[in-house]
Amino acid sequence: MTALLLLPLLLPCALPVLARRALARLAPATALWAVTGCAVVLAGCSLAALGVFVLIGLLRLPLFAAFGEFIHPLHTASALIVVPAAATSVGVLAVCCWTLVRSVLRQSRAFRIARTEAGRRPAAGDLCVVDSPRPDAYALPGRPHRIVVTTAMLRSLDGPEREALFAHERAHNEGGHHYFLAAAELAAHCHPALRPVRTTIRLAAERAADEAAAARVGDRRLTARAIARAALAAHAAGTPRPDFAAAATTGPVPQRVQALLGAPGRPRAGRAVAALLIACTAALSGVAAAAGLVDFHHRVEVAQGEEAP
């Protein structure tokens, strides 16, 4: 059981490399779904494993064993392994909860400020223009969705480039990319190895919006130029916004521009391998966590005298 529960804690360490490989070989929208889904599964399985370690440690104590109505000893690994593992799991879960609460409070505050600022401005459809000397544009989720753009950003782009920028931000809202970014943030607080995956998921969301914008305006070079000019204008001058509010000016812009200027839909070697590795990692973690939970439940029932050993 201990070995099975260690696997969900180790597999997240492989995801940052697999995520970058998947983004390089899969279509951006496909990579976004695959990497985010895998990150969420790995995060959930790691939390389940930590929770089981905590329960095992607690049930080794006479007080909690009495609550469990044990009539036989609970057969687990040696106390030299179980007790340190349980204590470490408690500490890790406490840190995860603390950092997650801090992130939620910070993101909620930034979201309220952004929605309040957008609500004060007249909107033309989904477009909200904010009078600001700092160039910025981003997709703001909520009801209704908004595309927030500052007057300084509008002055930095010509007419066609503005349309390409708006198409990019609309693609974020229409694709629900804020859900993916929020899931990446949540997973990052469940396992430290998943923190670098946030960057890959954000890049996948931006690449997916880039492709959607290029398809909508019908000009990949125009889209690349608009993104590049918007990023240059917004460099070190962005307005405060929540991290899950996607923006065309974030991420490695040169890499995104290069992808837009390349041939669309070009063959990528190893697509099937990249997708299979992502799927197998999530499946292996899920199976290991489920098997560990089932084994732990069986051991508890044996200790309670409900099942034969």
Side-chain angles (χ1 to χ4, degrees), residues 53-54 82-92:
F53 280 128
V54 172
V82 170
V83 174
T88 302
S89 298
V90 169
V92 171

Side-chain angles (χ1 to χ4, degrees), residues 161-242:
E161 290 169 350
R162 293 175 188 172
E163 291 304 318
L165 180 66
F166 298 158
H168 176 99
E169 305 302 351
R170 287 192 178 97
H172 280 311
N173 283 333
E174 292 169 359
H177 293 169
H178 50 283
Y179 293 118
F180 295 92
L181 299 179
E185 182 70 17
L186 176 63
H189 291 284
C190 296
H191 197 291
L194 296 177
R195 292 175 185 172
V197 180
R198 285 181 298 189
T199 303
T200 305
I201 291 175
R202 179 170 289 277
L203 176 56
E206 295 303 330
R207 286 281 297 111
D210 290 344
E211 294 295 332
R216 177 168 294 182
V217 302
D219 191 335
R220 298 179 68 84
R221 287 188 172 276
L222 169 62
T223 306
R225 188 173 71 247
I227 291 170
R229 293 190 63 184
L232 287 174
H235 179 66
T239 55
R241 59 172 181 262

Side-chain angles (χ1 to χ4, degrees), residues 38-95:
C38 185
V40 170
V41 170
L42 293 181
C45 292
S46 65
L47 288 181
L50 290 173
V52 172
F53 280 128
V54 172
L55 288 177
I56 293 173
L58 290 176
L59 292 176
R60 293 295 295 263
L61 300 176
L63 177 62
F64 288 92
F67 278 121
E69 299 180 348
F70 290 171
I71 61 176
H72 302 296
L74 179 66
H75 292 290
T76 62
S78 169
L80 295 176
I81 298 176
V82 170
V83 174
T88 302
S89 298
V90 169
V92 171
L93 288 174
V95 172

